[in-house]
Amino acid sequence: MKYKGLAVLALALPSLCFAQADQKVLEDFKPSSLNQPGKEYPQVNSQGYARFRIEAPDAKAVNVSLGLGGKGGTDLVKGADGVWTGTTAGPMDEGFHYYHLKVDGGIFNDPGAMNYYGSVRWESGIEIPAHDQDFYAVKNVPHGLVQEVLFPSASTNSTKRAFVYTPPGYEKNDKKNYPVLYLQHGWGENEYAWMNQGRANLIMDNLIAEGKIKPFIIVTTYGMTNEAKFGTIGSFDIKPFQTVLIDELIPYVDSHFRTLSDRKNRAMAGLSMGGMETKTITMANLDKFAYIGLFSGGSFKIDDVNATPGFKEKVKLAFVSYGSREMMDERMRGFVGDPKANTEALKAAGINSVLYVSPDTAHEFLSWRRSLREFAPLLFKD
């Protein structure tokens, strides 16, 4: 299947930030939780403003890509000591953001921040503390394991990588088998995204500790989305990745981990372009998946259901989510339709259809962290 209109969502990957720029900035800045060890900058204050400090005495201009939407990021000002500093014009959206520096026209990472793969490169990352961050925080609860596995891919004549989350206690009871969620990243990202930027393992640990979900395995792998360069995304062909997932990865996971390998114990979800991959692959393989989640990656229309034999009988959950600011985006609606109306149409047809809207977020990881939190308790119901 070729994807058309994908550039709409891919363009939204850099977060749009909304704020009240006229408020007094509180001087209670602290180092970002994602800084490299011993680095004081970037910093974040209690209002969500971000402050940057870059040593570049010979530079003529320094800019940070983060800032209020539509204003081209944050320009830094050079001091007498040759150090460039600057603060965003307003508070950033809560949650995780990719960013980079532009120094005299060249693009560089911030030497103070840790790096995360996004926008088809390793980007700097910053975390704006969220009011509801407790659900993805590191807590004193039993923790699952995240393993890196290498699996053979005959179809691509290569060895591919996946990360597998197994819930707490998996290694202690070799008689217990678990359902599996295959969870996909977006365009410009890779298999690291959900465990690093997304904190999927911590979300799972906390939900399990609170007794809110049935424990299950999560598998993330590279969706081959970056094989389509930006500007040519509409020509992306799902078939090679579908072969890797269906014919190679799933059999590998089922043979190397204690899984419940029937359809009713397997789910797939993805964010942005990974959601579109999810929709295409699951609807073509309803004999293998019973639960489907699209996080900022399209929606299910009643026409999709009517054109897919067995959808009503086999799909136990059709879950769609968006950030609230995405729901206001006319470009998005022009591409995927009205997610709310689509959800109601599926409900009227007797399908377990759920729409979740993340408050005050856009096309960004806090939307998707929250989406996983809402999606996970709905999975693998008896």
Side-chain angles (χ1 to χ4, degrees):
M1 177 178 178
K2 308 294 184 182
Y3 287 126
K4 297 181 179 179
L6 261 173
V8 172
L9 290 181
L11 279 171
L13 277 172
S15 171
L16 295 178
C17 305
F18 298 75
Q20 307 87 30
D22 56 350
Q23 66 179 298
K24 178 179 174 58
V25 180
L26 299 179
E27 291 298 325
D28 57 354
F29 285 87
K30 296 179 180 179
S32 165
S33 61
L34 302 187
N35 283 4
Q36 297 192 39
K39 300 296 184 180
E40 290 296 312
Y41 287 86
Q43 297 186 344
V44 179
N45 78 351
S46 60
Q47 299 163 297
Y49 285 79
R51 179 168 290 172
F52 305 91
R53 183 179 188 274
I54 304 298
E55 296 183 21
D58 297 326
K60 306 301 181 191
V62 178
N63 174 275
V64 178
S65 60
L66 285 180
L68 295 187
K71 294 192 176 180
T74 300
D75 290 326
L76 306 191
V77 177
K78 187 178 182 179
D81 57 357
V83 175
W84 296 76
T85 59
T87 304
T88 55
M92 302 294 300
D93 281 353
E94 295 179 344
F96 173 87
H97 301 278
Y98 300 108
Y99 75 97
H100 57 258
L101 309 176
K102 186 177 288 186
V103 181
D104 292 345
I107 294 177
F108 304 92
N109 286 356
D110 187 337
M114 291 192 289
N115 298 326
Y116 300 83
Y117 197 80
S119 305
V120 201
R121 65 184 298 272
W122 290 96
E123 290 264 79
S124 300
I126 191 171
E127 187 79 28
I128 308 299
H131 70 281
D132 60 346
Q133 63 186 348
D134 186 68
F135 77 91
Y136 56 83
V138 178
K139 299 181 185 178
N140 185 20
V141 300
H143 294 289
L145 300 178
V146 178
Q147 301 178 50
E148 178 180 346
V149 300
L150 300 175
F151 65 97
S153 171
S155 67
T156 61
N157 192 30
S158 67
T159 297
K160 293 194 170 296
R161 176 171 49 212
F163 288 96
V164 180
Y165 166 85
T166 51
Y170 174 90
E171 68 282 2
K172 294 180 180 180
N173 182 358
D174 61 6
K175 306 298 183 184
K176 183 176 176 60
N177 290 10
Y178 294 83
V180 184
L181 166 63
Y182 289 84
L183 190 58
Q184 288 305 122
H185 59 84
W187 181 83
E189 298 169 335
N190 65 9
E191 62 271 24
Y192 287 89
W194 266 110
M195 300 303 172
N196 290 340
Q197 297 94 295
R199 311 231 179 144
N201 56 317
L202 298 178
I203 294 170
M204 289 290 294
D205 291 342
N206 294 335
L207 288 173
I208 292 170
E210 294 166 9
K212 293 183 177 178
I213 64 171
K214 181 176 182 178
F216 56 85
I217 293 168
I218 293 180
V219 180
T220 69
T221 196
Y222 175 49
M224 301 169 68
T225 56
N226 303 338
E227 307 307 306
K229 304 303 180 185
F230 193 75
T232 67
I233 298 175
S235 65
F236 178 73
D237 187 354
I238 190 69
K239 292 186 184 68
F241 176 59
Q242 179 170 295
T243 298
V244 169
L245 181 74
I246 298 296
D247 298 339
E248 297 168 346
L249 179 57
I250 290 177
Y252 178 91
V253 170
D254 286 341
S255 64
H256 287 75
F257 292 86
R258 298 195 314 276
T259 68
L260 295 169
S261 58
D262 57 328
R263 180 187 63 82
K264 68 179 183 179
N265 284 296
R266 189 179 295 122
M268 186 174 180
L271 68 88
S272 191
M273 192 168 172
M276 296 176 191
E277 288 185 315
T278 295
K279 180 179 178 181
T280 302
I281 291 174
T282 55
M283 294 181 74
N285 294 274
L286 291 182
D287 60 321
K288 294 179 174 62
F289 300 95
Y291 300 85
I292 309 172
L294 312 181
F295 306 165
S296 305
S299 71
F300 297 99
K301 300 177 182 178
I302 196 64
D303 289 346
D304 297 326
V305 173
N306 294 334
T308 307
F311 190 101
K312 293 181 181 180
E313 297 76 26
K314 293 181 177 179
V315 175
K316 291 193 170 187
L317 174 66
F319 181 96
V320 170
S321 67
Y322 280 96
S324 61
R325 295 192 180 122
E326 293 182 286
M327 293 287 283
M328 297 185 292
D329 192 326
E330 292 300 325
R331 297 176 303 165
M332 183 275 290
R333 287 175 176 269
F335 178 48
V336 303
D338 182 344
K340 184 176 181 180
N342 290 342
T343 299
E344 293 303 318
L346 264 65
K347 285 182 179 179
I351 295 165
N352 183 21
S353 181
V354 174
L355 173 65
Y356 169 70
V357 180
S358 168
D360 302 319
T361 55
H363 202 74
E364 56 203 2
F365 254 105
L366 186 52
S367 296
W368 306 323
R369 290 171 178 171
R370 289 172 174 169
S371 296
L372 179 59
R373 177 194 64 192
E374 299 299 315
F375 182 59
L378 304 178
L379 297 178
F380 312 121
K381 299 291 187 179
D382 294 331

